Amino acid sequence: MAKITKEEIMEKLGTVIDPELGVDVVNLGLIYNVDVKDTEVSVRMTLTTPGCPLHDTMINGVKTAVEQHPLVSKCEVNLTWEPAWSPDMMSDKVRSMFA
């Protein structure tokens, strides 16, 4: 039986773009953890600011992207503010774009 890998889920998450910054959530450093159990995926993530006006859009985008994996039956997105996001969490490639 085929298994879902974290790498496959991260690839799906790489398609979710923060509309304000135009960068995907993985390279922004917003994804803190991906847990795969059988066909269910749990994603722990943050947003760039607690008052983000696109809160629901981002959460729904992550859920939709993960659930596009053919073996995923359910995706739960858990939002956290600890640790708080900072630009240091961005990938080097993205950080250089904003430098």
Side-chain angles (χ1 to χ4, degrees):
M1 182 172 136
K3 291 188 123 188
I4 303 165
T5 66
K6 284 186 182 181
E7 291 77 19
E8 290 171 331
I9 298 304
M10 292 301 282
E11 192 174 307
K12 293 289 185 192
L13 291 171
T15 67
V16 181
I17 305 298
D18 180 308
E20 289 182 317
L21 299 174
V23 177
D24 69 89
V25 295
V26 174
N27 278 299
L28 278 175
L30 299 179
I31 305 300
Y32 288 169
N33 188 52
V34 172
D35 188 39
V36 179
K37 287 196 174 122
D38 298 319
T39 62
E40 296 185 3
V41 176
S42 175
V43 177
R44 190 165 66 93
M45 68 175 290
T46 194
L47 299 173
T48 54
T49 61
C52 178
L54 299 169
H55 172 276
D56 291 338
T57 301
M58 296 292 290
I59 300 300
N60 290 334
V62 165
K63 186 173 169 52
T64 299
V66 171
E67 290 178 345
Q68 286 177 351
H69 188 292
L71 300 177
V72 172
S73 64
K74 177 183 174 188
C75 176
E76 181 179 312
V77 179
N78 299 300
L79 198 59
T80 184
W81 303 110
E82 296 294 326
W85 180 86
S86 76
D88 293 338
M89 295 174 166
M90 292 188 284
S91 69
D92 290 341
K93 180 177 104 177
V94 172
R95 202 173 307 120
S96 68
M97 288 171 40
F98 290 102

